[in-house]
mmCIF file of all heavy atoms in Angstrom:
data_model
loop_
_atom_site.group_PDB
_atom_site.id
_atom_site.type_symbol
_atom_site.label_atom_id
_atom_site.label_comp_id
_atom_site.label_asym_id
_atom_site.label_seq_id
_atom_site.Cartn_x
_atom_site.Cartn_y
_atom_site.Cartn_z
ATOM 1 N N LEU A 1 0.857 -1.160 -0.049
ATOM 2 C CA LEU A 1 -0.015 -0.047 -0.032
ATOM 3 C C LEU A 1 0.826 1.252 0.027
ATOM 4 O O LEU A 1 1.630 1.411 0.973
ATOM 5 C CB LEU A 1 -0.952 -0.046 1.225
ATOM 6 C CG LEU A 1 -1.864 1.210 1.374
ATOM 7 C CD1 LEU A 1 -2.743 1.390 0.123
ATOM 8 C CD2 LEU A 1 -2.698 1.031 2.544
ATOM 9 N N ILE A 2 0.796 2.011 -1.119
ATOM 10 C CA ILE A 2 1.589 3.284 -1.267
ATOM 11 C C ILE A 2 0.692 4.418 -1.354
ATOM 12 O O ILE A 2 -0.199 4.409 -2.246
ATOM 13 C CB ILE A 2 2.527 3.163 -2.499
ATOM 14 C CG1 ILE A 2 3.449 1.976 -2.415
ATOM 15 C CG2 ILE A 2 3.279 4.510 -2.661
ATOM 16 C CD1 ILE A 2 4.414 1.744 -3.569
ATOM 17 N N VAL A 3 0.783 5.414 -0.473
ATOM 18 C CA VAL A 3 -0.144 6.627 -0.579
ATOM 19 C C VAL A 3 0.680 7.869 -0.646
ATOM 20 O O VAL A 3 1.817 7.890 -0.173
ATOM 21 C CB VAL A 3 -1.081 6.573 0.721
ATOM 22 C CG1 VAL A 3 -1.947 5.400 0.705
ATOM 23 C CG2 VAL A 3 -0.277 6.683 1.942
ATOM 24 N N ASP A 4 -0.028 8.843 -1.047
ATOM 25 C CA ASP A 4 0.660 10.232 -1.193
ATOM 26 C C ASP A 4 0.765 10.880 0.140
ATOM 27 O O ASP A 4 -0.177 10.681 1.030
ATOM 28 C CB ASP A 4 -0.121 11.111 -2.217
ATOM 29 C CG ASP A 4 0.577 12.431 -2.361
ATOM 30 O OD1 ASP A 4 1.527 12.478 -3.060
ATOM 31 O OD2 ASP A 4 0.086 13.378 -1.799
ATOM 32 N N PHE A 5 1.736 11.630 0.348
ATOM 33 C CA PHE A 5 1.984 12.390 1.581
ATOM 34 C C PHE A 5 0.857 13.144 2.088
ATOM 35 O O PHE A 5 0.508 13.105 3.290
ATOM 36 C CB PHE A 5 3.126 13.388 1.388
ATOM 37 C CG PHE A 5 3.604 14.101 2.527
ATOM 38 C CD1 PHE A 5 4.734 13.659 3.271
ATOM 39 C CD2 PHE A 5 3.030 15.243 3.077
ATOM 40 C CE1 PHE A 5 5.197 14.279 4.320
ATOM 41 C CE2 PHE A 5 3.561 15.941 4.187
ATOM 42 C CZ PHE A 5 4.558 15.497 4.871
ATOM 43 N N ASN A 6 -0.054 13.673 1.187
ATOM 44 C CA ASN A 6 -1.075 14.612 1.530
ATOM 45 C C ASN A 6 -2.513 13.843 1.644
ATOM 46 O O ASN A 6 -3.496 14.512 1.768
ATOM 47 C CB ASN A 6 -1.173 15.765 0.553
ATOM 48 C CG ASN A 6 -0.031 16.690 0.578
ATOM 49 O OD1 ASN A 6 0.296 17.176 1.536
ATOM 50 N ND2 ASN A 6 0.534 16.872 -0.573
ATOM 51 N N THR A 7 -2.446 12.583 1.688
ATOM 52 C CA THR A 7 -3.761 11.834 1.809
ATOM 53 C C THR A 7 -4.274 11.931 3.214
ATOM 54 O O THR A 7 -3.588 11.676 4.206
ATOM 55 C CB THR A 7 -3.523 10.322 1.474
ATOM 56 O OG1 THR A 7 -2.938 10.272 0.174
ATOM 57 C CG2 THR A 7 -4.864 9.650 1.410
ATOM 58 N N PRO A 8 -5.547 12.219 3.466
ATOM 59 C CA PRO A 8 -6.203 12.302 4.784
ATOM 60 C C PRO A 8 -5.993 10.903 5.464
ATOM 61 O O PRO A 8 -6.163 9.926 4.866
ATOM 62 C CB PRO A 8 -7.595 12.607 4.515
ATOM 63 C CG PRO A 8 -7.648 13.307 3.194
ATOM 64 C CD PRO A 8 -6.625 12.665 2.402
ATOM 65 N N ILE A 9 -5.823 10.913 6.804
ATOM 66 C CA ILE A 9 -5.518 9.685 7.494
ATOM 67 C C ILE A 9 -6.700 8.769 7.466
ATOM 68 O O ILE A 9 -6.575 7.523 7.585
ATOM 69 C CB ILE A 9 -4.938 9.782 8.848
ATOM 70 C CG1 ILE A 9 -5.918 10.379 9.872
ATOM 71 C CG2 ILE A 9 -3.656 10.516 8.866
ATOM 72 C CD1 ILE A 9 -5.448 10.302 11.253
ATOM 73 N N GLU A 10 -7.947 9.347 7.472
ATOM 74 C CA GLU A 10 -9.157 8.459 7.517
ATOM 75 C C GLU A 10 -9.265 7.702 6.150
ATOM 76 O O GLU A 10 -9.726 6.504 6.190
ATOM 77 C CB GLU A 10 -10.427 9.324 7.740
ATOM 78 C CG GLU A 10 -10.713 10.417 6.810
ATOM 79 C CD GLU A 10 -10.214 11.823 7.266
ATOM 80 O OE1 GLU A 10 -9.098 11.812 7.885
ATOM 81 O OE2 GLU A 10 -10.924 12.713 6.989
ATOM 82 N N GLU A 11 -8.781 8.330 5.032
ATOM 83 C CA GLU A 11 -8.902 7.647 3.829
ATOM 84 C C GLU A 11 -7.728 6.539 3.765
ATOM 85 O O GLU A 11 -8.111 5.415 3.294
ATOM 86 C CB GLU A 11 -8.472 8.678 2.668
ATOM 87 C CG GLU A 11 -8.618 8.014 1.226
ATOM 88 C CD GLU A 11 -8.350 9.093 0.197
ATOM 89 O OE1 GLU A 11 -8.797 10.159 0.337
ATOM 90 O OE2 GLU A 11 -7.687 8.721 -0.780
ATOM 91 N N VAL A 12 -6.645 6.764 4.403
ATOM 92 C CA VAL A 12 -5.600 5.717 4.428
ATOM 93 C C VAL A 12 -6.062 4.581 5.290
ATOM 94 O O VAL A 12 -5.760 3.412 4.959
ATOM 95 C CB VAL A 12 -4.321 6.302 4.959
ATOM 96 C CG1 VAL A 12 -3.203 5.159 5.165
ATOM 97 C CG2 VAL A 12 -3.739 7.433 4.037
ATOM 98 N N SER A 13 -6.717 4.935 6.381
ATOM 99 C CA SER A 13 -7.226 3.856 7.324
ATOM 100 C C SER A 13 -8.341 2.931 6.623
ATOM 101 O O SER A 13 -8.158 1.765 6.679
ATOM 102 C CB SER A 13 -7.897 4.514 8.526
ATOM 103 O OG SER A 13 -8.400 3.589 9.349
ATOM 104 N N ASN A 14 -9.044 3.509 5.845
ATOM 105 C CA ASN A 14 -10.066 2.687 5.094
ATOM 106 C C ASN A 14 -9.328 1.836 4.091
ATOM 107 O O ASN A 14 -9.711 0.677 3.896
ATOM 108 C CB ASN A 14 -11.076 3.590 4.302
ATOM 109 C CG ASN A 14 -12.029 4.329 5.224
ATOM 110 O OD1 ASN A 14 -12.299 3.755 6.344
ATOM 111 N ND2 ASN A 14 -12.486 5.431 4.806
ATOM 112 N N GLN A 15 -8.276 2.383 3.381
ATOM 113 C CA GLN A 15 -7.581 1.554 2.413
ATOM 114 C C GLN A 15 -6.795 0.426 3.103
ATOM 115 O O GLN A 15 -6.880 -0.709 2.603
ATOM 116 C CB GLN A 15 -6.548 2.478 1.612
ATOM 117 C CG GLN A 15 -7.191 3.450 0.622
ATOM 118 C CD GLN A 15 -6.037 4.238 -0.042
ATOM 119 O OE1 GLN A 15 -5.097 3.648 -0.602
ATOM 120 N NE2 GLN A 15 -6.387 5.488 -0.159
ATOM 121 N N ALA A 16 -6.135 0.687 4.206
ATOM 122 C CA ALA A 16 -5.365 -0.239 4.871
ATOM 123 C C ALA A 16 -6.298 -1.360 5.478
ATOM 124 O O ALA A 16 -5.897 -2.587 5.365
ATOM 125 C CB ALA A 16 -4.704 0.403 6.071
ATOM 126 N N MET A 17 -7.471 -1.030 6.055
ATOM 127 C CA MET A 17 -8.290 -2.070 6.570
ATOM 128 C C MET A 17 -9.106 -2.826 5.538
ATOM 129 O O MET A 17 -9.729 -3.848 5.816
ATOM 130 C CB MET A 17 -9.343 -1.403 7.528
ATOM 131 C CG MET A 17 -8.719 -0.804 8.804
ATOM 132 S SD MET A 17 -7.861 -2.005 9.841
ATOM 133 C CE MET A 17 -6.116 -1.716 9.319
ATOM 134 N N SER A 18 -9.045 -2.402 4.368
ATOM 135 C CA SER A 18 -9.792 -3.126 3.268
ATOM 136 C C SER A 18 -8.894 -4.161 2.558
ATOM 137 O O SER A 18 -9.293 -4.817 1.616
ATOM 138 C CB SER A 18 -10.439 -2.184 2.241
ATOM 139 O OG SER A 18 -9.339 -1.459 1.593
ATOM 140 N N ARG A 19 -7.682 -4.158 2.930
ATOM 141 C CA ARG A 19 -6.661 -5.149 2.359
ATOM 142 C C ARG A 19 -7.017 -6.548 2.752
ATOM 143 O O ARG A 19 -7.790 -6.746 3.767
ATOM 144 C CB ARG A 19 -5.260 -4.845 2.791
ATOM 145 C CG ARG A 19 -4.706 -3.533 2.159
ATOM 146 C CD ARG A 19 -3.309 -3.286 2.575
ATOM 147 N NE ARG A 19 -3.157 -2.965 3.955
ATOM 148 C CZ ARG A 19 -1.974 -2.663 4.504
ATOM 149 N NH1 ARG A 19 -0.865 -2.529 3.835
ATOM 150 N NH2 ARG A 19 -1.947 -2.426 5.870
ATOM 151 N N GLY A 20 -6.457 -7.490 2.101
ATOM 152 C CA GLY A 20 -6.692 -8.883 2.527
ATOM 153 C C GLY A 20 -6.084 -9.194 3.879
ATOM 154 O O GLY A 20 -5.338 -8.513 4.464
ATOM 155 N N PHE A 21 -6.587 -10.336 4.523
ATOM 156 C CA PHE A 21 -6.217 -10.722 5.751
ATOM 157 C C PHE A 21 -4.705 -10.732 5.989
ATOM 158 O O PHE A 21 -4.170 -10.359 7.060
ATOM 159 C CB PHE A 21 -6.888 -12.035 6.271
ATOM 160 C CG PHE A 21 -6.537 -12.478 7.608
ATOM 161 C CD1 PHE A 21 -7.217 -11.924 8.778
ATOM 162 C CD2 PHE A 21 -5.507 -13.417 7.940
ATOM 163 C CE1 PHE A 21 -6.865 -12.374 10.044
ATOM 164 C CE2 PHE A 21 -5.262 -13.807 9.164
ATOM 165 C CZ PHE A 21 -5.887 -13.286 10.297
ATOM 166 N N ASP A 22 -3.992 -11.349 5.105
ATOM 167 C CA ASP A 22 -2.547 -11.502 5.146
ATOM 168 C C ASP A 22 -1.817 -10.203 5.084
ATOM 169 O O ASP A 22 -0.657 -10.126 5.598
ATOM 170 C CB ASP A 22 -2.037 -12.450 4.093
ATOM 171 C CG ASP A 22 -2.518 -13.846 4.214
ATOM 172 O OD1 ASP A 22 -2.909 -14.272 5.332
ATOM 173 O OD2 ASP A 22 -2.512 -14.626 3.204
ATOM 174 N N ASP A 23 -2.399 -9.202 4.581
ATOM 175 C CA ASP A 23 -1.681 -7.897 4.356
ATOM 176 C C ASP A 23 -2.004 -6.844 5.403
ATOM 177 O O ASP A 23 -1.528 -5.745 5.309
ATOM 178 C CB ASP A 23 -1.913 -7.457 2.901
ATOM 179 C CG ASP A 23 -1.432 -8.429 1.905
ATOM 180 O OD1 ASP A 23 -0.411 -9.108 2.147
ATOM 181 O OD2 ASP A 23 -2.179 -8.569 0.839
ATOM 182 N N VAL A 24 -3.131 -7.014 6.125
ATOM 183 C CA VAL A 24 -3.803 -5.975 6.821
ATOM 184 C C VAL A 24 -2.923 -5.252 7.820
ATOM 185 O O VAL A 24 -3.183 -4.110 8.086
ATOM 186 C CB VAL A 24 -5.094 -6.500 7.500
ATOM 187 C CG1 VAL A 24 -4.721 -7.291 8.683
ATOM 188 C CG2 VAL A 24 -5.962 -5.311 7.874
ATOM 189 N N TYR A 25 -1.887 -5.927 8.284
ATOM 190 C CA TYR A 25 -1.029 -5.342 9.288
ATOM 191 C C TYR A 25 0.370 -4.799 8.716
ATOM 192 O O TYR A 25 1.154 -4.400 9.401
ATOM 193 C CB TYR A 25 -0.778 -6.334 10.474
ATOM 194 C CG TYR A 25 -1.987 -6.546 11.207
ATOM 195 C CD1 TYR A 25 -2.638 -7.739 11.203
ATOM 196 C CD2 TYR A 25 -2.559 -5.597 12.101
ATOM 197 C CE1 TYR A 25 -3.750 -8.068 11.913
ATOM 198 C CE2 TYR A 25 -3.719 -5.747 12.663
ATOM 199 C CZ TYR A 25 -4.334 -7.000 12.754
ATOM 200 O OH TYR A 25 -5.564 -7.238 13.407
ATOM 201 N N ASP A 26 0.453 -4.892 7.431
ATOM 202 C CA ASP A 26 1.670 -4.427 6.746
ATOM 203 C C ASP A 26 1.768 -2.884 6.816
ATOM 204 O O ASP A 26 0.759 -2.229 6.821
ATOM 205 C CB ASP A 26 1.669 -4.776 5.275
ATOM 206 C CG ASP A 26 1.935 -6.383 5.055
ATOM 207 O OD1 ASP A 26 2.122 -7.051 6.128
ATOM 208 O OD2 ASP A 26 1.968 -6.854 3.881
ATOM 209 N N CYS A 27 3.008 -2.521 6.934
ATOM 210 C CA CYS A 27 3.161 -1.051 6.988
ATOM 211 C C CYS A 27 2.739 -0.318 5.688
ATOM 212 O O CYS A 27 2.594 -0.958 4.660
ATOM 213 C CB CYS A 27 4.683 -0.714 7.174
ATOM 214 S SG CYS A 27 5.219 -1.198 8.859
ATOM 215 N N ILE A 28 2.517 1.035 5.788
ATOM 216 C CA ILE A 28 2.095 1.855 4.704
ATOM 217 C C ILE A 28 3.283 2.693 4.197
ATOM 218 O O ILE A 28 3.892 3.386 5.078
ATOM 219 C CB ILE A 28 0.917 2.678 5.095
ATOM 220 C CG1 ILE A 28 -0.319 1.859 5.518
ATOM 221 C CG2 ILE A 28 0.415 3.604 3.982
ATOM 222 C CD1 ILE A 28 -1.076 2.424 6.617
ATOM 223 N N ILE A 29 3.538 2.634 2.921
ATOM 224 C CA ILE A 29 4.605 3.492 2.368
ATOM 225 C C ILE A 29 4.059 4.860 1.986
ATOM 226 O O ILE A 29 3.083 4.921 1.290
ATOM 227 C CB ILE A 29 5.261 2.785 1.224
ATOM 228 C CG1 ILE A 29 5.912 1.510 1.610
ATOM 229 C CG2 ILE A 29 6.380 3.668 0.562
ATOM 230 C CD1 ILE A 29 6.375 0.542 0.447
ATOM 231 N N VAL A 30 4.766 5.863 2.322
ATOM 232 C CA VAL A 30 4.350 7.263 2.013
ATOM 233 C C VAL A 30 5.291 7.856 1.013
ATOM 234 O O VAL A 30 6.483 7.879 1.176
ATOM 235 C CB VAL A 30 4.209 8.119 3.300
ATOM 236 C CG1 VAL A 30 3.843 9.558 2.990
ATOM 237 C CG2 VAL A 30 3.282 7.519 4.354
ATOM 238 N N THR A 31 4.682 8.529 -0.035
ATOM 239 C CA THR A 31 5.537 9.144 -1.082
ATOM 240 C C THR A 31 5.155 10.629 -1.217
ATOM 241 O O THR A 31 4.096 11.063 -0.863
ATOM 242 C CB THR A 31 5.412 8.389 -2.438
ATOM 243 O OG1 THR A 31 4.001 8.551 -2.858
ATOM 244 C CG2 THR A 31 5.779 6.968 -2.370
ATOM 245 N N LYS A 32 6.151 11.357 -1.694
ATOM 246 C CA LYS A 32 5.924 12.775 -1.993
ATOM 247 C C LYS A 32 6.497 13.027 -3.414
ATOM 248 O O LYS A 32 7.626 12.784 -3.559
ATOM 249 C CB LYS A 32 6.586 13.676 -1.021
ATOM 250 C CG LYS A 32 6.294 15.190 -1.182
ATOM 251 C CD LYS A 32 7.062 16.000 -0.205
ATOM 252 C CE LYS A 32 6.534 15.923 1.187
ATOM 253 N NZ LYS A 32 7.137 16.843 2.143
#
């Protein structure tokens, strides 16, 4: 999961929690 620096955290939270069971606890990469 790679997200832009300026993405609201509620949107990132939704994306992270919608991942598959095996990936749900993986870290999120932030780019600018």
Side-chain angles (χ1 to χ4, degrees):
L1 177 56
I2 301 176
V3 297
D4 184 74
F5 187 97
N6 293 307
T7 310
I9 66 168
E10 58 265 37
E11 185 179 321
V12 177
S13 180
N14 289 335
Q15 290 183 44
M17 292 300 101
S18 64
R19 293 181 293 183
F21 180 79
D22 292 338
D23 305 321
V24 74
Y25 294 110
D26 288 0
C27 289
I28 300 149
I29 299 172
V30 180
T31 62
K32 185 186 287 185

